[in-house]
Amino acid sequence: MESRKAFAAPDCLQDLCVFYCMNHLDVFVSALKASDMSAASGGSFPVLLGNKLLDYYMRCSIPKYNLTFKHPDQSEVDLLDDLVSNGHTCNEISVIHGEKVSADIFHTLSSNNLFRTVELTSFDGDEIAGMKKVKCEIIKKSLKVLSSVKLNKLSDEEMFLEILCNLAGQSYLESESSSSEVAENTEDNFEDENMVALPLQVDINEQFTVANTKYKPTKLQPNCDRNTNAQKDDFRCVNLKSFTYNQYASNFDNMNEVVIRKFSLFVSALSEILENNLNLQTFCVTSALSYPLDWFLNLPFLPLLKNLQSLTLACVNVPNIRMEEMFAAPRHPDPLSMLPTLQNLRHLDISFWNRDGETCATYSRLQLKLFVEGLKSMPNLRSLDISGTNLQDIISHENGSSECEEHCMPGFQGRKFDFLGLYETEKCVCHHRFIPAYKVSGSGSEEQLIVALWSYQHSPNIMTHVLANIQELVVDSETTLKHPLALYEGLVAYMGKVGSWHTSQSRSTYGIDEGLYSSVYIMYFLLRKDVKRLLTIQHRRHMLENLLTIMWSVSQLTNWPQLVTDKRHKMMRISMLIILVLDLESVAVYSHRFEQYVQVLVQVNMGFCRSTQRQLVLRLLHSACRVSQEHKAIIGQKLGLVQALLKYIEPWSINGKNVLMEVLEKYWSILWTLTDEVPVNCHLFMQYGGCEIGRKCIELFNVNDLRRKITGAISNVSENFELHPLLMTREVVVLFRDMLKYASESDYDVSSHAASFLVQLASSGPEHWMLAEPSWETILKEVDEAIQKWDINGPKGVKFRSLLPMLRQVGNQEVGVAQLWAAWGICNLIIVKPSRYFAMLEREGGLKVMSDALENPGIRDDVASLITDILNRHTRWSDADHSIDEDD
């Protein structure tokens, strides 16, 4: 039951290569353009790599740079368009997210490629975005080569009805105008004017009518263009080995005439697909089809499905209508007697789930007997799921006791299943002492719940009950878990699946929200049960990816009922706490999701976020900015964070209304970090009015911590000589001149930042000073006086990434005050933290710069004294044990 052994294994080389391509798509596309594209689409760019790259991209639910402040020259969608149109070949496609890529991309893909494997998900906005037509084109173009199709329905029936009809070799007409035109050509026109005809086209030699006892029949029109078998095969899919249809949302709840007709077409199309693909090995339908096994066993061509090995006919969200009410066709009185026909089955799933979680599929004693006899005729059957039915009697002891210690299936002595699904059966057979299966899904033990967690992720309704049981085990009890890692992996898998459902922005059901909230809530408590030590880097990366999808989806959706909104706020907060608990910040920095990690945090801060959660998201965002200079440039320029932060701050700098001081301070902290020795961010800071916004904030808010962060950011900007003309305005210089005042140690930070700013502007000499008042000499004199007041032996609480800005001023022989400021700052740092800053001094060539400065005969005495002290301390430090400071 325990998952694979945990060890810190690195990613495989192929994954690392794909990660690089994902994070540097512009470089990748440029490289392909520079090479021979015809060769790139062949040997040098194989189909396998194309499938891998496309799969990574399509499964990424978070559109990059989709924010209002995105850089105008950056468009991930345009790059993918370029990649696809320049020789990208693949034969597999998986589209499981909405609003990820444009319809043009899919059109290009369907034009240039034939797909063997297709996975499509329907979304509410497909019709508006033009995706419905393009997805149908993908199916039509690849009909002859398709071997595997998986359809996930999150919206209404329209789109997938058309796709199913295309797979069946039929034409689906959905509009009223089209229906009326076809109706004129039918033998019997419909008498009811309100009835919407939904005709299909079938073979010329066949007349097929979907009828029911309550409504008039829907006529299926023959297609006169197909006269031969060869021609017929061109219009239908005949090579399928695997077919899956998962229904997560349905409008079958409100049964009306039109809906029932669509339901009838849905069933007839499934029947046609089966008849056209008699070599199917896997057939999986999870839908609102009432008692789907009855329908399947009534198929006239059932004996021809000899290769069928896996059959899933799970019933969910059952409508208030049964199969016998839908069709007037003759039906077998005991369809379960046809089970022996499926003698090659290895997996059978006939689980039954209703939305209320109480209704189960009830079979009579005769049907139970026929079912048992059918199982006996399936020697290869290794997996059986009868959850939500009363078929559990097949393993019950004759006297009904749960104390049996030997085989409980009469007629199956010596036979044991690999998997047996008994979750939510009528009787608690999962508590039997002996169950003839290696793995059992149920609620009788931790092991059974883990199996259920992995087995029923296809249905939100089932998972609501499974997660409730797991919550009792993990959150509400003090039981020591036997398999915490297996629980963790199952929850992560479900979070990823249900998180991707949210991107459809479907508002048809709130059941998904309950399961998503429960899984995140349970995960937080599971991590507190010492499971963290078992996690590998892959575990953490998968968790990060799923949390990003969840946070992105939640931040996008609004206007939900109050109860759901409250849960979503809690879910957002818990997601950010999990990031902190697992230290996923560092995982994000070194993964291909780093840019999206920052983007999601910004999106959360912009939208669906309360004040308590905003503190968390800004903490995470600030931590993400404390990375390498390269990453800072990406965050500031490519992701537009500098511009975004200034946009947030600007309204507060004008009127100061509704100010959250903690949030405002955090915004300036992030800007302070982003401008630290990153010239491109400093230019962006000035381009979007950062200096003026900072000046207004200082004048409006008399808060020392806020002023320290604002002056720190502007001081960083002043280190760029080319920006001095923009900074050297009378208002700004006078403001920083006033902040030089130093009365106590609490004033040091603001005073030192002001001195740094003024020194940088004045360091170029009087010829570059643009102001008549205050003069260059006055500014330097006041800076000199301020420095004399500072305490050189006190810790200042600021870590420097580099000493280069100071070292440049140590060598400034023309401006003595600039030399004094720089020497004083370095001396203070090596007094407080010698190991950290002596090593930095050596690495950046500072010792030579200082020695050269001492050789200048015009050097000031106080500057020479400071430099001499630094060099002497370095000599003593070099001769002593190089122990690292505790705080480093």
Side-chain angles (χ1 to χ4, degrees):
M1 182 57 60
E2 190 61 80
S3 60
R4 63 185 182 276
K5 183 178 179 181
F7 59 97
D11 293 312
C12 68
L13 181 59
Q14 186 184 47
D15 281 345
L16 291 175
C17 292
V18 175
F19 289 169
Y20 181 85
C21 292
M22 285 286 297
N23 238 10
H24 301 83
L25 201 55
D26 51 346
V27 177
F28 184 64
V29 173
S30 300
L32 287 180
K33 285 182 177 179
S35 63
D36 182 6
M37 295 311 302
S38 61
S41 61
S44 62
F45 192 62
V47 173
L48 181 61
L49 181 57
N51 290 337
K52 191 80 170 177
L53 181 63
L54 190 62
D55 179 67
Y56 272 98
Y57 195 91
M58 295 299 187
R59 288 184 179 273
C60 174
S61 64
I62 307 164
K64 282 190 178 181
Y65 324 129
N66 194 32
L67 306 177
T68 56
F69 52 85
K70 70 178 181 180
H71 194 274
D73 297 332
Q74 295 292 335
S75 174
E76 204 78 358
V77 172
D78 292 343
L79 288 173
L80 185 63
D81 269 326
D82 219 348
L83 177 63
V84 170
S85 61
N86 284 279
H88 179 58
T89 59
C90 55
N91 57 13
E92 299 177 3
I93 186 169
S94 177
V95 185
I96 62 173
H97 298 292
E99 301 182 357
K100 173 55 190 167
V101 287
S102 65
D104 293 338
I105 292 180
F106 289 115
H107 180 74
T108 304
L109 286 170
S110 62
S111 300
N112 296 343
N113 302 286
L114 296 178
F115 299 103
R116 294 184 302 102
T117 301
V118 173
E119 179 179 2
L120 298 177
T121 303
S122 65
F123 300 100
D124 286 345
D126 277 348
E127 186 67 45
I128 299 175
M131 298 297 292
K132 175 181 175 181
K133 180 180 178 181
V134 179
K135 289 179 181 179
C136 291
E137 286 180 1
I138 291 176
I139 293 293
K140 288 180 180 179
K141 181 74 179 294
S142 304
L143 279 178
K144 296 174 65 176
V145 299
L146 276 175
S147 62
S148 177
V149 173
K150 184 175 182 179
L151 307 176
N152 303 310
K153 192 181 77 61
L154 286 169
S155 60
D156 61 20
E157 275 63 32
E158 288 292 340
M159 191 188 81
F160 274 175
L161 269 180
E162 184 170 354
I163 289 180
L164 288 174
C165 291
N166 290 332
L167 289 171
Q170 302 168 351
S171 297
Y172 173 67
L173 305 178
E174 55 184 297
S175 65
E176 295 187 14
S177 59
S178 300
S179 300
S180 60
E181 292 175 5
V182 176
E184 293 177 359
N185 299 322
T186 59
E187 296 179 4
D188 301 314
N189 291 335
F190 297 106
E191 299 176 0
D192 189 347
E193 295 180 357
N194 296 323
M195 184 180 300
V196 179
L198 299 169
L200 299 172
Q201 294 181 341
V202 296
D203 299 337
I204 189 171
N205 297 323
E206 300 179 7
Q207 287 289 336
F208 184 78
T209 300
V210 178
N212 57 70
T213 58
K214 192 174 180 180
Y215 299 99
K216 297 180 178 67
T218 300
K219 206 79 167 186
L220 304 181
Q221 286 297 318
N223 186 343
C224 297
D225 293 333
R226 287 180 279 168
N227 297 317
T228 65
N229 291 334
Q231 287 176 320
K232 288 189 288 184
D233 288 344
D234 290 339
F235 290 90
R236 60 186 180 183
C237 182
V238 295
N239 296 309
L240 278 183
K241 295 297 185 293
S242 175
F243 175 82
T244 300
Y245 178 92
N246 290 323
Q247 178 174 301
Y248 302 124
S250 174
N251 59 10
F252 290 152
D253 295 331
N254 301 316
M255 301 301 289
N256 55 49
E257 184 174 330
V258 174
V259 170
I260 290 178
R261 288 183 176 280
K262 291 180 181 180
F263 194 79
S264 303
L265 293 173
F266 165 71
V267 176
S268 67
L270 288 180
S271 302
E272 192 77 11
I273 291 171
L274 275 167
E275 187 173 9
N276 292 339
N277 296 273
L278 298 177
N279 291 322
L280 265 175
Q281 297 175 1
T282 300
F283 185 74
C284 173
V285 173
T286 303
S287 73
L289 188 60
S290 301
Y291 289 86
L293 187 61
D294 289 359
W295 157 74
F296 188 85
L297 295 177
N298 270 283
L299 295 173
F301 50 85
L302 188 65
L304 301 179
L305 297 171
K306 297 185 179 298
N307 294 326
L308 192 62
Q309 298 182 34
S310 177
L311 176 62
T312 298
L313 296 169
C315 184
V316 295
N317 299 344
V318 186
N320 297 319
I321 186 168
R322 295 177 62 89
M323 286 291 294
E324 55 265 25
E325 299 175 31
M326 290 289 297
F327 302 101
R331 298 174 56 77
H332 197 288
D334 295 312
L336 290 176
S337 63
M338 298 296 293
L339 269 178
T341 308
L342 305 173
Q343 56 184 343
N344 293 323
L345 278 187
R346 300 178 62 85
H347 167 74
L348 176 62
D349 179 357
I350 54 171
S351 56
F352 187 100
W353 297 95
N354 208 358
R355 184 167 294 169
D356 56 18
E358 297 178 358
T359 307
C360 71
T362 305
Y363 293 88
S364 65
R365 301 299 298 179
L366 174 61
Q367 289 175 318
L368 175 60
K369 182 179 180 180
L370 291 174
F371 183 71
V372 172
E373 292 301 318
L375 295 184
K376 290 180 181 179
S377 65
M378 301 177 187
N380 298 324
L381 190 68
R382 305 299 303 164
S383 174
L384 175 65
D385 196 340
I386 53 176
S387 300
T389 72
N390 68 334
L391 296 174
Q392 74 287 336
D393 288 345
I394 64 173
I395 69 164
S396 297
H397 199 272
E398 292 181 0
N399 60 12
S401 171
S402 63
E403 301 298 322
C404 54
E405 298 184 8
E406 56 185 22
H407 215 289
C408 300
M409 295 180 67
F412 290 87
Q413 285 77 7
R415 185 172 175 182
K416 201 169 185 179
F417 291 97
D418 291 334
F419 167 79
L420 191 56
L422 300 175
Y423 192 78
E424 292 289 327
T425 46
E426 193 172 83
K427 297 178 182 179
C428 295
V429 294
C430 55
H431 291 282
H432 276 237
R433 186 169 296 180
F434 178 82
I435 299 177
Y438 295 104
K439 291 184 179 181
V440 178
S441 68
S443 56
S445 65
E446 179 184 335
E447 290 81 1
Q448 291 181 4
L449 281 174
I450 291 175
V451 175
L453 176 60
W454 282 100
S455 302
Y456 303 124
Q457 298 197 3
H458 59 275
S459 173
N461 295 326
I462 310 175
M463 286 300 295
T464 299
H465 300 279
V466 174
L467 291 172
N469 292 139
I470 294 177
Q471 182 172 326
E472 293 178 4
L473 179 68
V474 176
V475 181
D476 302 332
S477 71
E478 300 297 329
T479 307
T480 301
L481 298 176
K482 301 177 184 177
H483 312 288
L485 191 56
L487 269 175
Y488 172 90
E489 291 180 334
L491 287 170
V492 169
Y494 184 63
M495 288 164 61
K497 181 181 292 292
V498 78
S500 68
W501 293 341
H502 274 254
T503 59
S504 70
Q505 300 193 21
S506 174
R507 289 166 170 78
S508 58
T509 177
Y510 301 124
I512 294 177
D513 292 85
E514 184 66 33
L516 184 58
Y517 170 76
S518 298
S519 59
V520 175
Y521 181 75
I522 295 169
M523 178 61 72
Y524 178 69
F525 283 89
L526 182 62
L527 292 173
R528 298 170 61 179
K529 288 184 176 286
D530 204 28
V531 71
K532 189 166 70 170
R533 63 182 177 84
L534 302 174
L535 303 183
T536 66
I537 186 63
Q538 288 90 344
H539 287 127
R540 296 171 188 266
R541 181 174 291 122
H542 292 157
M543 172 63 80
L544 174 66
E545 293 174 355
N546 291 332
L547 289 177
L548 290 182
T549 300
I550 291 171
M551 293 169 65
W552 174 265
S553 303
V554 171
S555 67
Q556 294 291 300
L557 303 179
T558 56
N559 301 324
W560 290 78
Q562 184 61 40
L563 179 62
V564 177
T565 300
D566 291 341
K567 286 189 174 180
R568 284 172 169 259
H569 281 296
K570 292 179 182 178
M571 184 164 53
M572 184 74 77
R573 181 174 180 273
I574 294 174
S575 298
M576 290 186 282
L577 288 175
I578 291 175
I579 291 177
L580 290 172
V581 169
L582 291 181
D583 190 26
L584 299 182
E585 305 157 275
S586 58
V587 175
V589 172
Y590 299 106
S591 77
H592 69 293
R593 299 281 189 181
F594 173 71
E595 295 178 16
Q596 291 182 335
Y597 174 70
V598 175
Q599 181 181 339
V600 168
L601 294 178
V602 174
Q603 181 66 44
V604 171
N605 181 63
M606 290 173 57
F608 194 82
C609 190
R610 290 177 176 172
S611 58
T612 55
Q613 297 152 6
R614 198 176 303 277
Q615 296 294 324
L616 277 174
V617 73
L618 290 177
R619 174 181 173 182
L620 294 174
L621 189 58
H622 192 195
S623 179
C625 296
R626 294 171 178 168
V627 288
S628 67
Q629 307 305 86
E630 180 184 359
H631 281 88
K632 287 183 183 180
I634 292 173
I635 295 171
Q637 183 182 31
K638 194 174 182 181
L639 301 181
L641 185 56
V642 172
Q643 179 187 355
L645 292 173
L646 291 173
K647 280 188 175 182
Y648 299 153
I649 298 170
E650 188 172 16
W652 286 340
S653 69
I654 296 174
N655 50 39
K657 293 182 179 179
N658 302 320
V659 173
L660 296 174
M661 190 54 62
E662 297 84 357
V663 174
L664 186 59
E665 288 182 14
K666 185 60 72 173
Y667 284 161
W668 278 107
S669 292
I670 298 173
L671 284 171
W672 187 6
T673 302
L674 287 176
T675 53
D676 183 19
E677 297 187 54
V678 185
V680 66
N681 288 345
C682 295
H683 282 75
L684 290 170
F685 181 90
M686 294 301 299
Q687 179 182 343
Y688 294 106
C691 186
E692 183 63 19
I693 293 173
R695 182 182 68 81
K696 290 179 180 179
C697 285
I698 291 173
E699 293 175 348
L700 192 60
F701 306 109
N702 187 22
V703 179
N704 200 51
D705 281 346
L706 178 62
R707 292 188 170 196
R708 179 174 67 91
K709 293 165 183 176
I710 297 174
T711 54
I714 298 178
S715 174
N716 286 340
V717 176
S718 68
E719 294 173 4
N720 298 270
F721 174 77
E722 62 275 12
L723 296 177
H724 287 181
L726 299 176
L727 292 168
M728 205 177 300
T729 64
R730 175 176 172 75
E731 293 82 0
V732 175
V733 171
V734 169
L735 179 66
F736 275 78
R737 175 190 181 187
D738 293 340
M739 289 189 292
L740 280 172
K741 297 174 183 178
Y742 179 88
S744 64
E745 190 62 18
S746 61
D747 299 328
Y748 170 77
D749 289 328
V750 174
S751 179
S752 65
H753 291 158
S756 173
F757 174 82
L758 295 172
V759 163
Q760 295 292 347
L761 293 186
S763 62
S764 301
E767 64 275 13
H768 292 284
W769 189 258
M770 301 167 57
L771 301 176
E773 180 62 30
S775 65
W776 181 77
E777 294 80 3
T778 301
I779 288 296
L780 290 180
K781 177 183 177 182
E782 294 182 3
V783 170
D784 195 347
E785 293 173 353
I787 294 175
Q788 304 300 331
K789 299 177 183 179
W790 298 344
D791 178 12
I792 198 170
N793 296 307
K796 307 308 178 185
V798 178
K799 284 186 178 181
F800 286 82
R801 182 185 299 273
S802 171
L803 297 178
L804 288 176
M806 295 182 191
L807 290 175
R808 283 195 290 268
Q809 299 304 329
V810 169
N812 189 346
Q813 306 290 347
E814 305 297 327
V815 184
V817 176
Q819 276 189 309
L820 174 65
W821 167 81
W824 191 99
I826 294 174
C827 189
N828 170 257
L829 291 175
I830 60 102
I831 290 174
V832 176
K833 292 184 179 180
S835 294
R836 174 183 176 86
Y837 292 106
F838 273 134
M840 192 179 295
L841 201 62
E842 292 179 346
R843 187 169 59 249
E844 296 178 344
L847 298 176
K848 184 178 186 306
V849 172
M850 291 187 175
S851 298
D852 293 343
L854 281 178
E855 296 177 359
N856 181 19
I859 191 172
R860 287 175 44 161
D861 292 341
D862 50 357
V863 175
S865 175
L866 286 170
I867 293 178
T868 303
D869 187 22
I870 293 172
L871 295 177
N872 291 337
R873 286 176 181 271
H874 177 264
T875 301
R876 293 195 297 271
W877 175 81
S878 299
D879 296 338
D881 182 22
H882 292 21
S883 58
I884 303 298
D885 299 327
E886 293 182 1
D887 296 335
D888 289 350

